[in-house]
Amino acid sequence: MTPDALLDALDPEQRRVAEAVRGPVRVLAGAGTGKTRAITHRIAYGVATGVYQPTEVLAVTFTTRAAGEMRQRLRALGAGPVQARTFHSAALRQLRYFWPHVHGTELPTLVESKIGLLATAARRQRITADQALLRDLASEVEWAKVSNVLPDDYARVATARGRQVTGHDPDTVGRIFGSYEEVKRGQGRMDMEDVLLLTAGVLADDERVAAQVRRQYKWFVVDEFQDVSPLQSALLDLWLGGRDELCVVGDPAQTIYSFAGANADYLRDFPQRYPGTTSIELVRNYRSTPEIVTTANALLAGTVSKGVELRSQQPSGPAVRFDPRPDEVAEAAAVATRIAALRDEGRSLGEMAVLFRINAQSESFEEALAERGIPYVVRGAARFFDRAEVREAVTRIRGAARGEGGDLLETVRGTLAGMGWSAEPPAARGQTRDRWESWQALVDQAVEFAAAGGDLDGFVAELDRRAAEQHAPVADGVTLATAHAAKGLEWDVVFVCGLQDGTLPITYADTPAAVEEERRLLYVAMTRARHELSLSWALARNPGGRGGRKPSRFLEPLLPESARPRPTSSRSGRALSCRECGRPLAGAQEKKRGRCSDCPASYDEELFERLREWRKERAADESVPAFVVFTDATLQLIAEVKPRTPTELLRISGIGRSKLERYGEAVLDLVG
């Protein structure tokens, strides 16, 4: 492409980026503003105008997917010979070439995982470590190394920064870290962080190597610069060797990996470090509707997390939905119902996503989608019943049911306690916390099942049913993902769920900086949506639970009056807020019905009332509370799905084998 043709393809701000071919340059690129387009056109324009030799340009990013996309675009723009790599890939390429020349020995073997070495290191320190703890230790060692923290300094630095590894003090973690380094060196191995450290060491210690690298690469571009760690910054400085031909691109508002060592100050302070910096903001958002962009801007307005002020370039779309629900089962059901309606309107399931804070939250959505025959894909994690800790827990609960029997909740809690579950969650993030969340999800299911009158055998059958239904083959499916796993992706329709305080921000975000990172995580999730965005939360964890939860504090400036928290019931027990939209109810009829007069029900209300009358009579006959027969949430699902066979009835949340045998025939007669 000619230089003029390259520039003609860009908007005014992107064009400024492309024309700024000499460094230093900082590009603050908001979500959906076409940053990859801007920087690849900048490189191609520099090549087309003769400023750059393509083999002298090194473009660096953080994921192999992003590097591959950059290479593909550069080839299409006539700049194919340009190197586009991740930090690790670029460093490893240099290390493999120079190490034998400098040291006269083979390069240490790169290990794919730290787990085995850490297990040996822990044993040397007489520490018993399961897989979850080893994964947490691996993450902590990675943080320490990318932050240039040595084993001898770890305890002091970790204490000052509030770092935690569940169950172990910083001194113990520091000793394991030191032992890990000894084990690794003794076996002639290196890890991924060593690739950067050893490359930096070779460049710092051997001027001939440094000079050769600097002759090779004269122009540098770094994408996602808000995610750069101290170690990566040090390596970049060695590549530059005092030069300033550097273009960095990033968005402080999308800094969500500080816990892993990322430091957005390198992006914020770039002009101070490089005098004469050309600073350009990309603000035209090509991804999302004005409604979504306005809401995302409002989320960060007036906070330290504020980035660029986005301006949508898309036509107007539907208003952002704020959707409070009485419990997590109802929240998942509402999302699945909306997805089914969109599918029936012709929307592709592959263009829809459900995003949440932690992996354990996926189960309720997996269940709700499976009940409606909607295929889905869990991104960045295994499906709930495929997770190792869940598989083992279900196996043990099944064994306890066969061998011991007994009370449902006692057995489940006792079995999980034997695996390491406790009533209180671990204080820190990490795999130990993730595993606890998975076990807690099973406890919550047991509580819900017991409240509905289920027994231990029925619960085991319910778990087996859920596991079987959630393993259907997937073609074009809805994406289920954490907000972290969704970064860099986009969909037409996005449901951001579980937005109650204590979940987002997560409970262990206990400093102002950690809370702000949670706010930015929500911003990332919201800006994944192109056309339709729904934000939802649950007032209680389980059906029938006390609805004392509050929506995330981040939603406070965003909520319309109709979605603000209201008391959910009066002393008479009648609803004061709509079960469909959460708005306050007006008048006796609305309160009796539990729904606004202008709000359509998601289920057959006449059938629901027939079911309630039948439940009342059955509960009186059995001398039990009505919810023990079936909860309102289960009756609503029956009235929505209208099952015709025992198999279809068994697919409904809250109905296991025992309830099917006890009530199935009567319920099917009522539906019929």
Side-chain angles (χ1 to χ4, degrees), residues 6-24:
L6 288 165
L7 296 180
D8 288 344
L10 304 176
D11 70 27
E13 293 81 23
Q14 293 170 346
R15 182 173 181 136
R16 282 188 62 206
V17 174
E19 290 178 321
V21 292
R22 302 299 302 263

Side-chain angles (χ1 to χ4, degrees), residues 116-160:
L117 296 172
L118 275 167
T120 302
R123 284 195 298 272
R124 288 188 179 184
Q125 297 298 316
R126 295 182 171 83
I127 302 291
T128 301
D130 58 21
Q131 285 295 306
L133 176 57
L134 290 172
R135 289 195 291 268
D136 285 348
L137 287 168
S139 296
E140 195 65 4
V141 167
E142 288 166 13
W143 169 80
K145 296 181 77 166
V146 302
S147 302
N148 289 326
V149 176
L150 299 173
D152 290 345
D153 299 325
Y154 173 83
R156 174 180 56 81
V157 176
T159 300

Side-chain angles (χ1 to χ4, degrees), residues 559-570:
L559 288 176
E561 190 60 34
S562 61
R564 293 189 178 277
R566 292 289 188 276
T568 55
S569 63
S570 65

Side-chain angles (χ1 to χ4, degrees), residues 371-429:
E371 283 178 352
R372 291 157 179 79
I374 299 172
Y376 62 87
V377 179
V378 181
R379 183 180 179 86
R383 295 183 178 206
F384 183 80
F385 284 100
D386 279 340
R387 295 168 197 165
E389 67 272 16
V390 175
R391 287 202 313 269
E392 182 182 356
V394 172
T395 299
R396 290 196 184 194
I397 293 168
R398 186 184 296 112
R402 288 173 180 165
E404 304 164 22
D407 179 75
L408 166 56
L409 292 180
E410 260 182 42
T411 302
V412 170
R413 287 171 175 152
T415 300
L416 295 179
M419 297 176 65
W421 172 83
S422 61
E424 292 299 317
R429 69 168 74 238

Side-chain angles (χ1 to χ4, degrees), residues 479-533:
T479 297
L480 303 182
T482 64
H484 280 103
K487 189 173 185 295
L489 304 174
E490 57 188 74
W491 297 269
D492 284 346
V493 181
V494 172
F495 300 85
V496 187
C497 304
L499 297 181
Q500 54 272 343
D501 246 18
T503 304
L504 206 158
I506 198 78
T507 50
Y508 52 73
D510 54 4
T511 66
V515 170
E516 279 306 302
E517 183 129 325
E518 296 285 298
R519 184 192 302 273
R520 294 190 295 269
L521 186 60
L522 176 56
Y523 176 82
V524 167
M526 289 165 58
T527 54
R528 300 309 94 197
R530 298 191 195 106
H531 183 71
E532 183 174 321
L533 174 64

Side-chain angles (χ1 to χ4, degrees), residues 65-338:
R65 184 181 65 82
E69 180 184 353
M70 198 177 291
R71 285 194 297 271
Q72 186 177 0
R73 293 198 190 197
L74 288 168
R75 281 196 299 270
L77 296 173
V82 169
Q83 291 288 311
R85 295 181 176 274
T86 65
F87 266 104
H88 286 93
S89 171
L92 185 58
R93 190 166 182 257
Q94 294 172 20
L95 195 60
R96 281 176 171 158
Y97 180 79
F98 289 113
W99 184 270
H101 297 291
V102 173
H103 294 281
T105 62
E106 290 187 5
L107 185 66
T109 303
L110 180 63
V111 296
E112 293 184 2
S113 169
K114 295 179 175 66
I115 299 299
L117 296 172
L118 275 167
T120 302
R123 284 195 298 272
R124 288 188 179 184
Q125 297 298 316
R126 295 182 171 83
I127 302 291
T128 301
D130 58 21
Q131 285 295 306
L133 176 57
L134 290 172
R135 289 195 291 268
D136 285 348
L137 287 168
S139 296
E140 195 65 4
V141 167
E142 288 166 13
W143 169 80
K145 296 181 77 166
V146 302
S147 302
N148 289 326
V149 176
L150 299 173
D152 290 345
D153 299 325
Y154 173 83
R156 174 180 56 81
V157 176
T159 300
R161 298 192 188 179
R163 305 287 300 188
Q164 294 184 58
V165 174
T166 300
H168 295 281
D169 60 78
D171 287 316
T172 301
V173 176
R175 290 198 304 273
I176 296 172
F177 178 14
S179 182
Y180 164 79
E181 291 295 315
E182 292 172 3
V183 171
K184 179 164 55 68
R185 282 194 299 271
Q187 296 184 10
R189 308 286 186 91
M190 65 177 180
D191 58 28
M192 290 299 285
E193 292 71 48
D194 289 331
V195 170
L196 303 185
L197 284 163
L198 294 176
T199 303
V202 168
L203 292 169
D205 295 342
D206 195 309
E207 277 299 322
R208 293 171 302 171
V209 171
Q212 189 171 341
V213 170
R214 291 165 192 161
R215 283 195 302 271
Q216 173 68 58
Y217 295 119
K218 299 177 181 177
W219 317 90
F220 293 86
V221 177
V222 183
D223 192 14
E224 302 286 3
F225 202 65
Q226 79 277 354
D227 291 336
V228 163
S229 70
L231 176 55
Q232 290 163 334
S233 178
L235 178 58
L236 181 61
D237 287 345
L238 288 164
W239 282 340
L240 285 163
R243 298 169 295 174
D244 63 2
E245 291 298 349
L246 171 64
C247 173
V248 301
V249 189
D251 181 6
Q254 296 189 71
T255 304
I256 59 172
Y257 292 110
S258 298
F259 65 89
N263 189 339
D265 288 344
Y266 294 118
L267 178 63
R268 293 191 191 95
D269 300 340
F270 189 85
Q272 286 72 50
R273 191 172 184 194
Y274 292 91
T277 291
T278 300
S279 194
I280 303 165
E281 292 187 356
L282 300 183
V283 298
R284 298 172 196 251
N285 178 286
Y286 295 97
R287 176 185 300 156
S288 307
T289 63
E291 290 79 3
I292 294 169
V293 165
T294 299
T295 304
N297 283 337
L299 175 68
L300 301 186
T303 72
V304 297
S305 295
K306 187 178 184 303
V308 303
E309 186 83 9
L310 295 174
R311 298 202 302 267
S312 175
Q313 306 300 297
Q314 294 295 330
S316 183
V320 173
R321 295 161 61 100
F322 295 90
D323 196 9
R325 293 288 165 174
D327 54 70
E328 292 182 5
V329 173
E331 181 184 20
V335 168
T337 298
R338 177 63 182 157

